Amino acid sequence: METQTNRIVEKNKQSWDDFSELHMKYNHSEKILRPILDDPAEAFPRPVWEQLRRFVPELRGKRVCVPSSGDNLAVYAFALLGAVVTSCDISEKQLEAARRTAERIGLGETVRFVCADTMRLEGLEDEAYDLVYTSNGVHVWLNDLPAMYRSVYRILKPGGISLWYDVHPFTRPFDDRMKVIKPYDLTGPFEDEYNVNFLWRVQDLLNAVMDAGLLLAHIEEIMPEKDDKHPFWISNEELVNGVEISREELDRMYDPENNPRAALPAWLCAVGRRP
């Protein structure tokens, strides 16, 4: 198990190192950063922001950890809101790009960058954080969800909050035309020449949270929203290439009569609290 985990981690780490330049070029562009610098709430989907405000109403001075920080947009937002932020990622190249951007936008002295595996969070102190936050696209890379949430539990202060959102697992069995491409309970690993992915079910995600000892405080199933700045059905490649979507096309995407996937929740958000 340990050897298999190490192989998966190393392969996915290499994939992110290779993709980092393209990924960060788009996500750290003026087009993406400017709205967040003007209003940090723009780094979060509206329903997720509402849960953050509900469970951590005052972020100033709070210690926040963002594992698998990726584009670091949430990291910058938390820092702009006055939090003391630790950004963790397995890719040194992602972290280096994020560090350069932090310096460019005046947050170089505010954010601590740590290269760490999200399933271990090695090097992070026990009972040190008020909030651990992860966004869309974290769980798919991890082969051991219970290990992740045991680590989250370890670094949270008593009373601390774990809040995450990710693609809703109910969308996983279908392609863009609602053709079934896999059984719901087939979770992986799915491996190609570049990386290894896992498509976890609702029970896998929530049981990992609860089995770690976190008390499940809230679940939010988020439907697709027409005003979503990153339409759910637009690929990362299209976003990077600056695809333009008209209001008419957007309306069609979010109408279940034209797009059956619009009848399913797009995101799953969960909040856990360390006793």
Side-chain angles (χ1 to χ4, degrees):
M1 178 66 175
E2 183 70 22
T3 300
Q4 174 72 352
T5 296
N6 290 342
R7 186 188 71 80
I8 292 170
V9 168
E10 286 304 313
K11 185 166 186 174
N12 287 339
K13 175 182 180 298
Q14 185 61 54
S15 176
W16 273 107
D17 280 345
D18 293 343
F19 182 62
S20 175
E21 183 177 353
L22 178 63
H23 181 67
M24 292 306 214
K25 181 179 180 180
Y26 175 77
N27 284 293
H28 290 184
S29 65
E30 180 70 9
K31 173 183 176 181
I32 299 300
L33 279 177
R34 177 47 51 191
I36 295 169
L37 296 177
D38 293 340
D39 180 4
E42 292 292 316
F44 310 95
R46 180 190 55 78
V48 175
W49 174 246
E50 290 173 356
Q51 297 311 314
L52 280 168
R53 301 305 292 160
R54 174 184 172 187
F55 286 95
V56 193
E58 179 52 67
L59 281 160
R60 187 165 299 279
K62 293 292 193 297
R63 294 196 67 187
V64 176
C65 179
V66 183
S68 294
S69 51
D71 57 31
N72 277 257
L73 298 179
V75 169
Y76 304 145
F78 286 128
L80 290 165
L81 290 164
V84 180
V85 191
T86 300
S87 167
C88 296
D89 201 271
I90 199 168
S91 168
E92 291 97 336
K93 289 190 175 181
Q94 291 273 95
L95 289 172
E96 182 53 38
R99 185 182 292 108
R100 290 196 303 269
T101 298
E103 293 172 355
R104 175 165 58 87
I105 62 178
L107 298 174
E109 301 300 321
T110 308
V111 181
R112 172 190 175 198
F113 294 95
V114 177
C115 188
D117 176 357
T118 293
M119 292 180 286
R120 299 176 180 273
L121 296 178
E122 60 271 23
L124 298 193
E125 310 91 326
D126 295 352
E127 299 187 357
Y129 292 92
D130 301 285
L131 170 66
V132 177
Y133 171 84
T134 63
S135 59
N136 169 44
V138 171
H139 299 112
V140 72
W141 301 100
L142 308 178
N143 66 295
D144 192 345
L145 293 182
M148 171 187 174
Y149 284 100
R150 287 194 299 269
S151 296
V152 169
Y153 183 99
R154 175 181 63 79
I155 69 171
L156 277 173
K157 297 176 181 178
I161 294 294
S162 163
L163 191 153
W164 56 262
Y165 84 97
D166 212 331
V167 172
H168 200 297
F170 288 173
T171 68
R172 300 292 197 188
F174 308 104
D175 66 11
D176 291 342
R177 298 181 180 275
M178 288 300 287
K179 177 183 177 182
V180 175
I181 55 176
K182 80 170 193 72
Y184 177 68
D185 63 353
L186 183 61
T187 58
F190 302 99
E191 183 168 3
D192 59 26
E193 62 178 305
Y194 302 108
N195 49 51
V196 185
N197 283 176
F198 298 85
L199 303 181
W200 301 113
R201 302 164 295 181
V202 172
Q203 70 185 58
D204 301 316
L205 295 162
L206 298 185
N207 284 336
V209 171
M210 294 184 290
D211 289 349
L214 295 165
L215 303 178
L216 197 58
H218 186 77
I219 303 170
E220 190 88 4
E221 293 181 292
I222 303 169
M223 297 301 292
E225 295 189 312
K226 285 185 182 180
D227 60 352
D228 191 345
K229 296 174 183 60
H230 299 285
F232 185 68
W233 298 281
I234 302 301
S235 70
N236 285 336
E237 181 179 358
E238 289 172 306
L239 285 172
V240 168
N241 291 329
V243 64
E244 295 294 335
I245 303 297
S246 69
R247 173 50 58 181
E248 291 75 16
E249 290 174 294
L250 203 60
D251 286 343
R252 286 182 59 81
M253 284 182 185
Y254 288 87
D255 181 352
E257 291 190 4
N258 296 310
N259 178 10
R261 292 190 76 191
L264 292 173
W267 312 102
L268 178 65
C269 174
V271 181
R273 189 190 305 273
R274 175 170 171 170

